[in-house]
């Protein structure tokens, strides 16, 4: 089946907006218009919220996609109209801040966005962030002012009041758009100047002598500002829909212009320009006048008179003051066809939707608007692809430079065009729900039949000896499975499931979850079964594919199956043509979260050859970034033996959800990081029911602490009597004695190490890999998963140096710090904890072993004397003690940061050691030595002024003037600090930025909305409002 048609008739659109503003309800209306759900249920079942928890909570948690087909009458140039069928791929996204990554993955795949705003709540925090997302991805937005009914039934505004309210709301949304535009304009200006300077410099070099003469006119040109006319929402431009998704109606002013043009004797196009705004109908002259000509008269704007009053009239007659006669009059005035029986219906909301669905059908309006406003893929890609390929370009469009760009810009779907598709996320689907497995409902039926036959046979044999009765007729119709009737009590659900699984196993169908890629094809046609290249996110477009850095970021995969998505259903297709959104099977284990799929032609890659196919390879997903996860909890299975299942489940989850990070902590605990508390709940549910399928215990949110020490103002005298931090220690029988001194690291060294932890890890890894290959072992050099490198419980920051420059940069910093730090570079023997941290072990002995720098550079083992070997062994134990001490500090067993431990002396009693060795008691000596070193390091830290460090969040809080004081109160109570505060222009809101200790942050949202509860909102949506007000919290550096 190939459902997609010509790309020019396709549209890819996403619904975005703040939580609860009605996105999923709106989707119901579109699904009903496509007969996927009944129109009576539209607005009630929120069909795309297919998860159980989504339905229970009434909130979307995962985005879902659906392909719809609509036939729209299109006007042709000759004045007539003809039907044209459009495929509209819609993606419904969640509005809750915890799931904002779903919005970014969806918007990458679409060309247009339906931005929903609740007419009463107006512009909220998430509205701004989704608008920004749409702006960045160059989506064409359509504003839907939803929940219009609330103005009439809840606020009970008059039409005139409502008009002013609406005008203000549109202003607010436009202010947000304006701020994006202004920001971009400044960036553009800067970029333009840089570009110009670069061009001039190039020219200067080329014609050193004739610079002035070659200054062409274009170079001397002034910066051309872009026009901001078309970025704003304006009802007269047709990009604003007024709607009530729940009552199933929506309109643009064009609809009323069409209705009234003849009546008012005006041209439809002219009426459209004046139907919104301060224009009035002069009752005497019957002409439209602007407010200048009002001359003191009190007239209603046209929008109030011709649009709002009509809608108010319907609501009044049907809901507010039910009056069936008036309803009948309205119905006949609007020439609607409603059966008299329905007119008397007591279900007023149903009657309302009957009237509106004929008069101002929401689905017709939305579809028409999408077709009018959202560009079809070929024109959309002309604008969006250049920005994806070259994020820094100034121009809106550029000319294609090669075949790849030609195909991409034009959305070319011919079989010989390069295939390029972007997978923006991987999502999990139960294997049994894939269409290829679903086709066999007979299997369960067969199973039941088998059981039934056997049972009946048994029964018959028991009651009657007649062998003929053993033949039981087999019913021909196959009922949908799982409907075990109560008449067959022995057929329990468990039995059925068990049986089903056996049959599934017999047929080779696996149970469990499988991962599919969620993708959009930008060029070419992808065919089922073809082989494709998967270009992974770290692929560098500027280097050739055969470059060593790029090679590992290309893998090949087979497009095993292709599907179009129908909400809860997947429909298998043989091929997908450019411009469509689809799901693909076959990437599991190859693609981690996102990738660009490429192939030279529709039939796929014939024998991978990077050199031959290099022209078609491109990375479109490199810059896909999602919000950083912040809430961490440790997980353990209820039954310890289930640990492997949990680990596997975590792996699947991390892949299926771009906003989840999982890792094993230094303490061995398995930790999951999620975007928020609600997101955590969803993840736990998924782990329990889908990915791990075991009972799991989750700890309370973990808060990272670190231990360190500082030079306090008033410290007790050093315990050892010598330099502060010095500790003497020894193994049993004083066979090995040592002196260690702890000292806090100077801030520049600490900062440098903190910034470059990833580099230290990489140096260790490279050395290990080299070691492995030198020894010629069969073990493959381990390439760590990129997702794991950065995280490991540390907050990720891009390093400030390249690995090659690490040691020289560290040396420079140490020299700058002076004193004993100046010469430590060749004496550093380890970083800690766990070899990668900001604590140092520095060996000051004259005969010290090789420094870490030297060891990392070469792995050669030299032949050493026996005595030297003993010293080397004890150097190793020394490091073990140091690693233990820094992993669990003396205060509360948290990792130690920012300390240097100097080994000042190490004395070995060789004769005594030899005796112990002969007596076979070496283990005791080494054990006691390691613990002595560990204790010495801990005591050394305590000799200074010890400190426990808290992780801090940066929180953006939005508060109105009257509650600003309270915000300060809550932040202060939680030991937070306000770092910035500014008034949002054009509103009464303040943006407050605060630093808040992570340990105090749980329930912070609760704290804020407790008083919001009493102060601001008195409606049911309080919880969500307050959460939204917390905005996004991002982890910042430790302090
Ligand atoms: N009065 C009124 N309520 C509406 C309207 N549209 C939606 N609602 C209600 O608003 C609530 C939220 O609707 P949803 O469609 O789930 O909102 P959403 O934007 O999908 O929410 P998330 O996906 O969780 O962000 C539901 O209780 C709807 O019944 C409307 O036009 N008028
Ligand atoms: Mg929703």
């Amino acid at each position: 089946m190939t459902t997609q048609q010509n790309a020019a008739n396709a549209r890819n659109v996403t619904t975005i907006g703040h939580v609860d503003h009605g996105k999923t309800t709106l989707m119901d209306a579109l699904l009903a218009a496509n007969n996927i759900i009944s129109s009576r249920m539209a607005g009630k079942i929120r069909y795309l919220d297919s998860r159980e928890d989504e339905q229970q909570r009434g909130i979307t948690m995962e985005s879902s996609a659906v392909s719809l087909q609509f036939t729209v009458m299109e006007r042709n140039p000759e004045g007539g109209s003809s039907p044209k069928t459009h495929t509209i791929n819609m993606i419904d996204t969640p509005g809750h801040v915890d799931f904002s990554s779903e919005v970014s993955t969806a918007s990458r795949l679409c060309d247009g966005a339906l931005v929903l705003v609740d007419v009463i709540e107006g512009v909220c925090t998430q509205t701004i962030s989704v608008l920004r997302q749409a702006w960045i991805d160059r989506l064409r937005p359509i504003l839907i002012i939803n929940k219009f009914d609330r103005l009439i039934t809840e606020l009970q505004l008059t039409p005139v009041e409502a008009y002013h309210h609406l005008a203000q709301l549109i202003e607010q949304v436009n202010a947000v758009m304006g701020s994006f535009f202004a920001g971009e304009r400044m960036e553009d200006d800067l970029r333009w100047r840089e570009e110009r300077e670069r061009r001039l410099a190039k020219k200067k070099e080329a014609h050193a002598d004739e610079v002035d003469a070659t200054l062409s006119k274009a170079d001397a040109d002034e910066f051309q500002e872009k026009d901001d006319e078309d970025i704003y929402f304006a009802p007269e431009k047709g990009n604003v829909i007024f709607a009530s998704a729940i009552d199933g109606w929506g309109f643009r002013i064009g609809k009323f212009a069409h209705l009234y043009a003849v009546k008012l004797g005006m041209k439809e196009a002219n009426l459209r320009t004046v139907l919104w705004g301060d224009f009035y109908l002069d009752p005497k002259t019957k002409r439209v006048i602007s407010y200048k000509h009002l001359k003191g008269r009190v007239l209603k704007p046209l929008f109030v008179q011709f649009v709002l009053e009509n809608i108010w009239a319907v609501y009044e007659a049907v809901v507010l003051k039910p009056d069936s006669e008036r309803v009948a009059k309205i119905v006949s005035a609007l020439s609607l066809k409603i059966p008299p029986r329905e007119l008397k219906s007591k279900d007023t909301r149903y009657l309302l939707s009957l009237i509106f669905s004929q008069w101002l059908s929401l689905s017709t309006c939305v579809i028409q608007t999408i077709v009018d406003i959202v560009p079809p893929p070929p024109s959309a890609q002309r604008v969006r692809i250049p920005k994806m390929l070259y994020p820094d370009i100034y121009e809106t469009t550029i000319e294609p430079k090669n075949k790849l760009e030609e195909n991409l810009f034009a959305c070319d779907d011919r079989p010989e065009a390069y295939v390029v598709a972007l997978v923006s996320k991987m999502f999990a689907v139960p294997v049994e729900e894939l269409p290829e497995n679903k086709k066999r409902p007979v299997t369960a039926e067969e199973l039941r039949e088998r059981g039934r036959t056997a049972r009946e046979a048994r029964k018959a044999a028991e009651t009657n000896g007649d062998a003929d009765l053993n033949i039981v007729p087999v019913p021909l119709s196959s009922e949908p499975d799982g409907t075990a009737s109560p008449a067959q009590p022995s057929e329990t659900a468990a039995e059925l499931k068990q049986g089903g699984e056996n049959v599934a196993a017999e047929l080779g169908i696996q149970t469990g979850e499988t991962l599919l890629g969620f993708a959009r094809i930008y060029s070419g046609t992808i065919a089922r079964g073809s082989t494709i290249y998967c270009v992974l996110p770290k692929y560098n477009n500027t280097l050739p594919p055969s470059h060593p850095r790029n090679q590992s970021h290309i893998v090949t995969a087979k497009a095993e199956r292709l599907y179009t998505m129908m909400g809860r259903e997947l429909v298998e297709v043989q091929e997908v043509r450019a411009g469509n959104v689809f799901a693909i099977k076959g990437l599991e284990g190859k693609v981690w979260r996102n990738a660009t799929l490429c192939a030279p032609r529709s039939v796929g890659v014939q024998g991978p050859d990077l050199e031959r196919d290099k022209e078609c390879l491109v990375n479109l997903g490199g810059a896909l970034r999602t919000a950083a996860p912040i809430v961490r909890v440790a997980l353990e299975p209820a039954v310890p033996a289930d640990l492997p299942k949990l680990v596997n489940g975590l792996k699947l989850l991390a892949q299926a959800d771009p906003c989840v990070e999982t890792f094993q902590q230094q303490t061995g605990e398995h930790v999951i990081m999620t975007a928020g508390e609600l997101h955590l709940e969803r993840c736990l549910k998924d782990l329990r029911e889908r990915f791990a399928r075991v009972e799991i215990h989750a700890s309370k949110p973990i808060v990272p602490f670190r231990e360190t020490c500082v030079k306090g103002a008033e410290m007790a005298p050093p315990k050892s009597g010598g330099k502060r931090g010095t500790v003497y220690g020894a193994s049993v029988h004083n066979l090995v004695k040592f002196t260690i001194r702890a000292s806090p690291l100077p801030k520049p060294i600490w900062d440098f190490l903190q910034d470059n932890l990833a580099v230290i890890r990489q140096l260790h890894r490279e050395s290990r890999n080299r070691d492995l290959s030198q020894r010629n072992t069969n073990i493959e050099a381990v390439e760590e998963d990129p997702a794991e490198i950065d995280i490991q419980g540390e907050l990720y920051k891009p390093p400030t140096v390249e690995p090659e420059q690490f040691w020289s940069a560290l040396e420079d910093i140490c020299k700058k710090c002076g004193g004993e730090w100046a010469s430590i570079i060749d004496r550093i023997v380890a970083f800690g904890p766990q070899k990668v941290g900001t604590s140092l072990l520095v060996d000051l002995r004259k005969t010290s072993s090789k420094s870490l720098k030297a060891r990392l550079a070469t792995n050669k083992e030299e032949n050493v004397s026996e005595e030297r070997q003993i010293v080397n062994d004890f150097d190793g134990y020394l490091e073990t003690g140091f690693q233990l001490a820094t992993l669990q500090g003396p205060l509360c067993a948290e990792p130690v940061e920012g300390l240097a431990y100097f080994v000042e002396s190490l004395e070995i009693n060789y004769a005594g050691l030899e005796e112990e060795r002969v007596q076979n008691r070496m283990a005791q000596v080494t054990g006691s030595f390691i613990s002595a070193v560990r204790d010495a390091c801990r005591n050394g830290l305590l000799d200074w002024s010890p400190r426990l460090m808290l992780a801090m969040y940066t929180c953006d809080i939005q508060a109105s003037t009257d509650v600003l004081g309270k915000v300060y109160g809550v932040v202060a109570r939680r030991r937070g600090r306000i770092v910035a505060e500014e008034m949002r222009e054009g509103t009464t809101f303040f943006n407050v930025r605060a630093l808040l200790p992570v340990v105090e942050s749980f329930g912070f949202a609760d704290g804020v909305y407790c008083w919001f509860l009493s102060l601001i909102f008195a409606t049911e949506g309080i919880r969500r409002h307050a959460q939204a007000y917390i905005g996004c919290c991002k982890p910042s550096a430790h302090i």
Side-chain angles (χ1 to χ4, degrees):
M1 183 168 120
T2 54
T3 50
Q4 308 89 21
Q5 19 157 325
N6 192 349
N9 295 341
R11 300 288 189 281
N12 298 307
V13 187
T14 168
T15 55
I16 52 176
H18 191 73
V19 64
D20 246 2
H21 282 194
K23 300 174 286 299
T24 314
T25 312
L26 176 89
M27 287 300 299
D28 267 5
L30 302 184
L31 291 166
N34 228 235
N35 291 328
I36 295 176
I37 56 173
S38 87
S39 52
R40 201 161 182 154
M41 294 310 290
K44 296 196 182 79
I45 62 170
R46 292 182 295 112
Y47 181 83
L48 290 184
D49 281 353
S50 50
R51 296 169 56 103
E52 195 188 319
D53 45 357
E54 285 179 328
Q55 283 290 341
Q56 274 167 3
R57 286 174 172 270
I59 183 171
T60 308
M61 299 189 181
E62 258 175 3
S63 42
S64 21
V66 58
S67 284
L68 304 169
Q69 304 259 338
F70 293 98
T71 305
V72 177
M73 294 305 282
E74 217 158 76
R75 279 186 210 168
N76 40 31
E78 297 86 55
S81 58
S82 55
K84 197 167 172 191
T85 303
H86 291 271
T87 304
I88 300 195
N89 298 310
M90 299 275 327
I91 305 179
D92 180 38
T93 65
H96 193 282
V97 60
D98 276 15
F99 308 113
S100 40
S101 65
E102 300 273 330
V103 180
S104 37
T105 51
S107 83
R108 257 290 154 111
L109 305 187
C110 292
D111 305 320
L114 301 177
V115 185
L116 276 94
V117 179
D118 181 327
V119 71
I120 294 187
E121 292 180 3
V123 177
C124 298
T125 42
Q126 276 311 97
T127 318
I128 300 176
S129 44
V130 296
L131 275 171
R132 182 177 292 118
Q133 187 70 48
W135 175 267
I136 293 171
D137 284 331
R138 294 192 174 181
L139 302 189
R140 189 67 67 83
I142 295 167
L143 177 65
I144 301 192
I145 299 181
N146 191 30
K147 306 205 184 180
F148 205 98
D149 56 303
R150 293 181 70 189
L151 290 182
I152 311 170
T153 54
E154 271 178 46
L155 293 196
Q156 310 212 331
L157 298 185
T158 62
V160 176
E161 287 166 341
Y163 166 70
H164 291 297
H165 182 89
L166 291 169
Q168 230 174 19
L169 178 58
I170 295 176
E171 265 313 299
Q172 276 179 18
V173 183
N174 280 337
V176 176
M177 298 303 285
S179 69
F180 298 152
F181 180 77
E184 190 160 279
R185 199 177 52 185
M186 280 196 294
E187 257 178 48
D188 275 351
D189 185 22
L190 191 72
R191 240 180 262 152
W192 181 84
R193 274 172 216 295
E194 280 173 1
E195 174 74 7
R196 182 167 174 269
E197 267 162 33
R198 202 177 50 81
R199 260 200 332 251
L200 282 181
K202 222 169 162 187
K203 233 171 212 175
K204 202 168 164 182
E205 238 167 61
H207 315 275
D209 305 329
E210 28 179 336
V211 199
D212 297 335
T214 53
L215 253 180
S216 76
K217 200 168 179 298
D219 292 332
D221 227 326
E222 274 306 297
F223 171 63
Q224 293 281 320
E225 278 199 8
K226 278 183 209 156
D227 188 12
D228 64 346
E229 230 344 89
D230 56 343
I231 63 161
Y232 295 114
F233 296 107
E236 64 274 16
K237 283 200 284 191
N239 58 7
V240 179
I241 297 178
F242 302 94
S244 165
I246 208 155
D247 291 335
W249 61 265
F251 66 88
R252 294 188 288 170
I253 54 167
K255 168 88 184 177
F256 284 88
H258 180 68
L259 288 177
Y260 285 103
V262 180
K263 201 168 164 198
L264 294 176
M266 282 176 80
K267 273 199 188 142
E268 194 180 319
N270 291 349
L271 183 54
R272 203 179 304 145
T273 55
V274 293
L275 203 45
W276 173 263
D278 292 336
F279 297 100
Y280 309 83
L281 187 70
D282 190 330
K284 284 190 199 138
T285 58
K286 296 277 179 228
R287 290 177 66 95
V288 173
I289 53 170
S290 71
Y291 69 97
K292 277 190 207 148
H293 300 100
L294 272 181
K295 298 193 185 114
R297 284 176 294 175
V298 183
L299 295 180
K300 290 175 187 162
L302 288 177
F303 187 71
V304 173
Q305 194 178 353
F306 294 104
V307 182
L308 296 186
E309 287 193 342
N310 285 320
I311 294 172
W312 256 249
V314 177
Y315 269 91
E316 268 180 15
V318 181
V319 186
L320 299 178
K321 300 176 198 142
D323 177 346
S324 52
E325 270 175 39
R326 229 179 123 209
V327 174
K329 258 191 218 157
I330 292 175
V331 167
S332 75
L334 295 171
S335 356
L336 309 178
K337 292 187 194 71
I338 294 181
R341 185 167 42 86
E342 307 281 12
L343 275 181
K344 297 202 178 69
S345 160
K346 287 268 178 310
D347 186 351
T348 51
R349 284 241 100 101
Y350 177 58
L351 179 57
L352 206 58
S353 63
L354 270 184
I355 297 176
F356 276 122
S357 61
Q358 289 186 32
W359 180 33
L360 302 171
S361 159
L362 177 60
S363 52
T364 314
C365 168
V366 172
I367 299 302
Q368 191 65 56
T369 315
I370 289 177
V371 172
D372 288 350
I373 304 281
V374 178
S379 3
Q381 288 181 203
R382 189 81 191 80
V383 182
R384 292 189 57 223
I385 298 278
K387 189 82 182 164
M388 281 162 91
L389 289 176
Y390 313 101
D392 289 336
I393 54 160
Y394 161 68
E395 296 85 3
T396 19
T397 53
I398 52 173
E399 286 312 309
K401 291 202 258 311
N402 46 37
K403 176 173 180 212
L404 177 76
E405 292 189 4
E406 259 167 38
N407 292 168
L408 276 171
F409 292 1
C411 186
D412 193 337
D413 64 357
R414 287 170 307 148
E416 60 274 20
Y418 287 159
V419 178
V420 180
L422 175 67
V423 177
S424 78
K425 72 164 186 175
M426 299 291 285
F427 67 106
V429 185
V431 174
E432 54 271 25
E433 277 184 21
L434 292 176
E436 61 268 27
N437 298 342
K438 265 190 162 177
K439 273 183 208 149
R440 312 176 191 258
V442 214
T443 54
E445 184 61 25
E446 271 172 8
L447 176 85
R448 198 176 301 131
E449 275 312 310
R450 254 186 259 168
R452 196 180 299 158
T453 320
R455 258 196 322 280
E456 301 248 348
R458 230 181 297 132
K459 222 194 266 164
E462 279 167 18
T463 52
N464 192 337
D466 193 346
D468 283 355
L469 284 181
N470 279 349
I471 305 159
V472 181
V474 178
L476 289 173
S477 70
S478 67
E479 294 277 324
D481 64 10
T483 49
S485 72
Q488 300 154 344
S490 67
E491 241 175 27
T492 60
E495 228 175 89
L496 258 184
K497 189 163 179 266
Q498 177 72 38
E501 276 174 12
N502 290 345
V503 173
E506 265 171 42
L507 293 169
I509 302 170
Q510 299 154 351
T511 49
E513 300 285 329
T514 184
L515 288 167
L516 304 183
F518 186 44
R520 148 111 181 234
I521 174 160
Y522 283 102
S523 148
T525 296
I526 187 166
R528 184 188 151 178
S530 60
T531 305
I532 38 174
Y533 292 112
C534 305
V535 177
L536 303 178
K538 292 209 167 167
Y539 179 91
N540 185 342
N541 277 337
T542 55
L543 299 175
S546 48
H547 191 278
R549 283 213 181 171
N550 270 349
Q551 262 176 356
S552 56
H553 301 305
I554 301 180
V555 290
T556 48
K558 193 169 154 209
E560 286 173 23
R561 285 175 197 270
L562 303 167
Y563 312 94
T564 54
M565 287 165 283
M566 300 298 292
R568 303 175 195 190
E569 306 275 331
L570 290 168
V571 179
E572 190 166 357
V573 290
Q574 292 303 322
E575 59 169 34
V576 187
R577 294 164 63 174
N580 281 290
V581 174
F582 67 105
I584 173 169
K585 186 179 171 202
L587 307 181
E588 192 169 350
K590 308 212 163 153
V591 171
W592 180 269
R593 295 182 182 174
N594 68 64
T596 315
L597 309 179
C598 305
R601 62 196 78 76
S602 167
V603 286
V605 182
Q606 255 105 35
D609 179 349
L610 290 181
E611 200 45 45
R612 184 196 61 209
D613 297 332
K614 66 177 181 213
E615 297 294 318
C616 76
L617 295 171
V618 65
N619 179 9
L620 292 180
L624 275 188
R625 246 176 263 124
T626 52
I630 50 169
V631 172
R632 329 168 156 209
V633 294
L635 302 179
E636 59 177 24
V639 182
D642 285 339
L643 189 64
K645 285 191 190 161
L646 172 66
V647 174
N648 200 29
L650 280 172
K651 218 169 159 188
L652 267 174
L653 175 71
Q655 204 176 351
D657 186 335
C659 206
V660 167
E661 295 290 356
T662 63
F663 60 90
Q664 198 173 6
Q665 253 199 339
Q666 290 163 344
T667 47
E669 290 165 300
H670 287 276
V671 173
I672 171 172
M673 287 170 76
T674 62
E677 290 168 69
L678 184 63
H679 185 211
L680 172 69
E681 255 178 63
R682 189 193 89 189
C683 292
L684 288 180
K685 189 175 157 65
D686 279 351
L687 267 179
R688 289 192 183 113
E689 293 173 8
R690 301 171 61 185
F691 301 127
R693 296 192 183 205
V694 290
E695 191 40 46
I696 291 165
H697 294 317
S699 70
K700 285 221 168 104
I702 305 176
V703 178
F705 285 101
R706 293 288 184 269
E707 298 183 17
T708 190
C709 63
V710 294
K711 189 173 175 187
E714 285 174 17
M715 291 191 288
K719 287 197 189 92
S720 63
K723 265 191 173 175
R724 184 172 292 282
T726 310
V727 182
Y728 306 106
S731 70
V732 278
H733 313 315
N734 281 345
L735 289 175
V736 190
K737 290 194 259 179
F738 64 87
T739 313
I740 282 183
R741 180 165 52 85
S743 176
L745 275 183
K747 186 124 186 14
I749 303 184
W750 186 355
D751 286 347
F752 175 79
L753 293 177
Q754 181 74 46
D755 288 346
N756 294 295
L757 288 176
V759 176
I760 302 180
R761 190 170 290 122
Q762 193 178 339
L763 288 173
H764 275 287
R765 199 173 51 241
E766 278 170 9
S767 153
R768 197 173 61 227
N769 287 349
R770 211 173 35 235
D771 194 21
L772 286 176
S773 58
Q774 261 180 16
R775 284 198 219 152
N776 237 348
T777 47
N778 295 336
I779 314 164
E780 265 184 41
V782 228
E783 172 81 14
E784 250 178 84
D785 197 320
E788 281 170 26
I789 299 176
D790 308 333
I791 206 81
Q792 273 296 328
E794 296 299 333
L795 302 168
Y796 171 64
K797 271 193 202 161
T800 56
V801 289
E802 289 293 316
E804 302 82 53
Q805 291 124 27
F806 174 78
W807 291 107
S808 58
L810 181 60
E811 187 169 9
D812 286 349
I813 292 175
C814 291
K815 283 204 173 123
K816 270 191 208 136
C817 292
E820 62 179 340
W821 305 103
S823 58
I824 60 167
I825 197 78
D826 287 319
R827 300 195 164 268
I828 297 172
V829 287
F831 293 107
Q834 294 206 320
K835 300 195 172 179
V836 182
T838 56
S839 293
L840 300 179
L841 183 65
V842 184
D843 199 337
L844 294 182
R845 288 171 299 156
K846 295 242 153 41
T847 57
S848 74
S849 58
K850 261 193 193 162
S851 71
L852 182 66
K853 183 180 161 191
R855 272 189 291 144
L856 288 180
T858 55
N859 299 85
K860 272 194 213 122
E861 286 179 18
E862 298 149 14
N863 287 333
V864 287
S865 67
E866 198 178 318
E867 201 162 281
R868 182 70 225 174
Q869 186 57 44
I870 295 177
V871 176
N872 282 358
D873 286 350
F874 275 91
D875 285 347
Y877 304 142
L878 202 66
E879 190 189 328
T880 312
F882 157 79
Q883 297 291 2
L884 286 174
T886 47
L887 181 60
Q888 298 190 321
L891 300 178
C892 50
E894 294 287 342
V896 173
E897 276 192 5
L899 253 100
Y901 293 96
F902 295 98
V903 181
E904 300 203 317
S905 70
L906 183 83
E907 290 169 30
I908 300 174
N909 177 346
Y910 293 102
L913 268 189
E914 183 56 28
E915 200 170 306
E916 295 294 312
R917 203 172 60 78
V918 173
Q919 304 273 340
N920 218 358
R921 289 200 303 246
M922 273 308 274
Q924 265 181 359
V925 179
T926 53
S928 64
F929 177 73
I930 292 173
S931 348
V933 173
R934 185 193 60 199
D935 295 346
C937 290
R938 288 182 178 168
N939 291 332
L941 186 153
L942 293 177
D943 209 16
W944 296 83
S945 187
R947 289 284 187 278
L948 198 60
M949 296 187 295
L950 308 178
M952 306 287 275
Y953 283 148
T954 311
C955 309
D956 287 322
I957 307 168
Q958 214 185 76
S960 55
T961 350
D962 47 339
V963 296
L964 195 62
K966 298 255 179 345
V967 171
Y968 274 67
V970 174
V971 172
R973 243 197 332 277
R974 304 226 170 216
R975 292 190 284 145
R977 233 178 36 220
I978 306 278
V979 287
E981 175 203 286
E982 68 180 38
M983 182 103 183
R984 256 178 64 197
E985 238 167 83
T987 68
T988 53
F989 280 114
F990 275 90
N991 277 347
V992 179
R993 172 159 289 188
L995 279 179
L996 191 77
V998 178
V999 65
E1000 297 280 352
S1001 69
F1002 300 101
F1004 174 60
D1006 290 310
V1008 180
Y1009 61 65
C1010 275
W1011 47 262
F1012 264 132
L1013 188 98
S1014 51
L1015 281 168
I1016 309 178
F1017 302 107
T1019 54
E1020 38 160 4
I1022 299 151
R1023 219 185 127 82
R1024 292 187 185 161
H1025 284 289
Q1027 262 178 359
Y1029 270 74
I1030 301 307
C1032 58
C1033 301
K1034 286 205 190 91
S1036 67
H1038 300 141
I1039 60 161

